Amino acid sequence: MRVRVFRMDPSVDKEGYFQEYDVPVNNKEKWTIMDVLDYIALNLDHSLSYYRHSVCNQGICARCSIRVNGKVELACTRKVVEDELILEPRNDKVVKDLVTEIDAPHT
Amino acid sequence: MKPNSVDRIIKTDILTIGGGGASTAAAVAAYERGTKVTLVSKGKVGRSGNTIMIGGGFGIDGESAYKVCGEKGVDVGFTKDALFKRTVQNSFYLSDQNIVQQFVSEAPKAVKRCLDWARNAKQIFKLNPPAPVWRTSGRSFGRTLMQAIKENPGIEVIEDVIVVDLLINNCTVVGALGVDVYTGDVILFEAKAVVLATGGYQPYSFKNTISDMTGDGIAMALRAGAKIADMEFLLFIPTILEPRNIRGSILPYLMTFAPSFKSVFKVVDCRGDEIVIPKEFYKIPKANKLNKLLYSYFWGKAIFEGIKEYGNCIFYDFSHCSDREIEDAFEGLKQEYSTWHKNGWYNKVNLEELKQIIMKDRRLKVGLGCEYSMGGVVVDEKMSAGIPGLFAAGEVTSGLFGAFRGGDGLTEMLAQGFRAGMSAAEYINGISNTDVDYTQIDSIIHRIMEPFNRNEGVSPYKVQRNIENAADRGFNFFRDEEGLQSTLKELERIKVEELPRMSLASKSRRYNFEWITSILVKNLITCNEAGTKAALMRKESRGCHMRTDYPEVNNEEWLVKIEAQMEGSQIELTTRKPIVTKMPLPEGKHKSILDYVLWTL
């Protein structure tokens, strides 16, 4: 499956760009978007950043939201059902790639 | 003076490390005693750590549930003594009984505080009399912890920072060094005391816990010179293997005691043979945690016998059920969990969808996943970790549950968290200013930055997978000499060939999780090695340590705790008797852990 992923390191890049990966998603196996990202990070491109620290993977912590084919969803709960994916950060406050600035900390 | 490589300095009296219940309780207790408190968490408080992964509930003795927490209709006959006895028996007598005493006597007040936060946060903690146990969900408990922080606004909360190491000066803990995951900034925490509340470790590839249970607190304490113990004991529960989108859900464990699922499914191995638990164990109520041990034993044995061929896999078999029976079972489950979850869901599991899959396939693929580590930092009843300035609370400690946690981890973290906070506040009373050692700071920073300086090598992501695969290979629910030796050999290989060669694809520090992983894998391999070595040393079976080559529970030779400590760069093991305050240690042998369980009933 063709997966297009938004890439940007604001400390270096003026603008973001898309990088394409070929991921062997099997829709019958019911991959999630997190599975796709994990596959890319482990096998294709270690430099890809997406929310991955202290991840519950069960839809509990609700911190892994990204834009999947235009719609903001949790990477860990969203099943892959389509034949092509475009993955983007959920807003334009990009820290790196798919990671955006965190909510205001407790005050 | 600030070394150039430090980006920020945070000065505080007491630093609590962790984002879950133990850290929050410690922070509140210390703050209430007028100290300046900083809580630093890997994720967000109430939205990270293993606390939010809970599926059950937590309990105390019946008398206190009534007298301290005001619950009516609870079984007051389940006394503190009964709770003490049950905890020690379930630990296979490896509990340090001073820690059990602390747990039994201090949990009620701690639980009461937690119930108050929950009420203020409008969260439902449900008690079904007569059992003095409150049921909740991970998300609800998380919101409860956020309420605790909200009610104590003077606690400084630093989130999304991974603590790398403890700072030591003159044999005293004087702070910690951390990395901000988002910016990559190095943060120096100067503190008069530190409370480790970082949770346990989970060395396997198959996960039902939070993703990075790398045993950071345990490994940091060990490096700081503290003792750790009981690392060979890891607790497993049935967990969804497929479908892949809900892998890691602990729903299969909840199904074992959900009233609507009663006897609906059979458990079969990969050859299709039913795995039967003998009748004499039927008297153990389904919700009793002792069943986890039985599943690990009976289901684990069946898995272990075919693991090379089929992997960590069994099936819940519904082939003999009518559609109606499956529908009723799921209807009950939906109702039961609608208190805490979106109607028709259990966390990310769409129950209707899962029901349809089971109606079609008539089976559910399940494996045994590790949910909790009994081992950790050795503490005393004040939660002191044996080094001035260092305290620990919750799953990061050892001592309460010994070889098997038959009690509640939530209660543990609350009871120990409050005590650790109080002890730390007491300790800093006599402490004026502390100085950090800049040589140590420079050396830690040098160490964590090394992977940036290598142009080629091995990715920390691969290293983590290799460490997990090593644990899968021979340090599983069932163990034998050959498997454990093979795990240890592979860990040694990783230490020599891979750790010194870790390199990074991106040289940017901004959300560089490959870099963060290079820091965490060192903790994971340390815990894994300590656990595997202890499992090799313990030539018997006890609690969650089940050896096919040594099935006996051997009190004559092995009713001892295995402790680990650093000697130079090596992990060295020693043994000692558990601390006894009340219940004398039993003698003799039991044929197997099953025999032991029957003996305690």
Side-chain angles (χ1 to χ4, degrees), chain B residues 23-99:
Chain B
S23 188
T24 305
V28 169
Y31 179 66
E32 285 173 342
R33 278 154 188 81
T35 63
K36 177 165 167 43
V37 180
T38 303
L39 179 153
V40 57
S41 166
K42 211 175 198 180
K44 271 186 177 298
V45 177
R47 286 168 80 188
S48 66
N50 250 350
T51 300
I52 64 167
M53 305 306 279
I54 55 175
F58 58 104
I60 52 173
D61 69 283
E63 206 177 357
S64 305
Y66 173 64
K67 281 188 181 160
V68 180
C69 302
E71 297 287 356
K72 296 188 180 69
V74 287
D75 175 14
V76 292
F78 183 60
T79 60
K80 282 186 169 146
D81 279 348
L83 177 60
F84 186 100
K85 186 176 165 200
R86 195 184 69 182
T87 307
V88 174
Q89 280 184 340
N90 280 340
S91 81
F92 284 62
Y93 283 83
L94 278 196
S95 292
D96 278 329
Q97 294 181 18
N98 56 332
I99 304 296

Side-chain angles (χ1 to χ4, degrees), chain B residues 365-396:
Chain B
K365 203 169 180 179
V366 170
L368 289 177
C370 171
E371 65 150 339
Y372 181 93
S373 57
M374 269 68 74
V377 182
V378 176
V379 289
D380 66 13
E381 63 277 10
K382 299 281 186 193
M383 299 302 128
S384 163
I387 301 174
L390 187 62
F391 301 83
E395 192 183 341
V396 73

Side-chain angles (χ1 to χ4, degrees), chain B residues 73-74 87-88 94 96 138 189 194 221 237 291 312 324 382 413 439 468 502 520 524 554:
Chain B
V74 287
T87 307
V88 174
L94 278 196
D96 278 329
F189 296 93
V194 172
I237 53 172
N291 286 293
N312 175 1
R324 184 59 196 269
K382 299 281 186 193
M413 72 190 176
T439 322
E468 290 169 352
M502 288 194 289
L520 301 184
L524 184 62
N554 182 349

Side-chain angles (χ1 to χ4, degrees), chain A residues 9 29-30 35 42 46 49-50 52-55 57-59 61 63 76 79 95-96 102 106, chain B residues 42 47 53 139 159-160 182 211-212 244-245 247-248 347-348 353 465 508 510-511 513-514:
Chain A
D9 181 347
E29 285 176 5
K30 302 193 176 164
D35 290 331
L42 182 65
H46 306 315
S49 296
Y50 56 105
R52 208 31 175 123
H53 72 287
S54 218
V55 171
N57 238 329
Q58 296 296 323
C61 74
R63 294 197 67 191
C76 79
K79 257 185 301 183
V95 173
K96 189 168 174 287
I102 46 173
H106 293 289
Chain B
K42 211 175 198 180
R47 286 168 80 188
M53 305 306 279
R139 202 174 288 162
E159 292 171 318
D160 298 300
Y182 282 81
S211 60
D212 44 10
R244 186 167 171 157
N245 66 312
R247 180 181 293 174
N347 289 331
K348 78 163 168 179
E353 208 174 286
R465 291 300 153 105
S508 170
R510 294 170 79 92
Y511 206 97
F513 195 62
E514 198 189 21

Side-chain angles (χ1 to χ4, degrees), chain A residues 64-76:
Chain A
C64 59
S65 63
I66 59 168
R67 203 171 284 275
V68 181
N69 290 347
K71 202 176 154 204
V72 175
E73 294 179 86
L74 291 185
C76 79

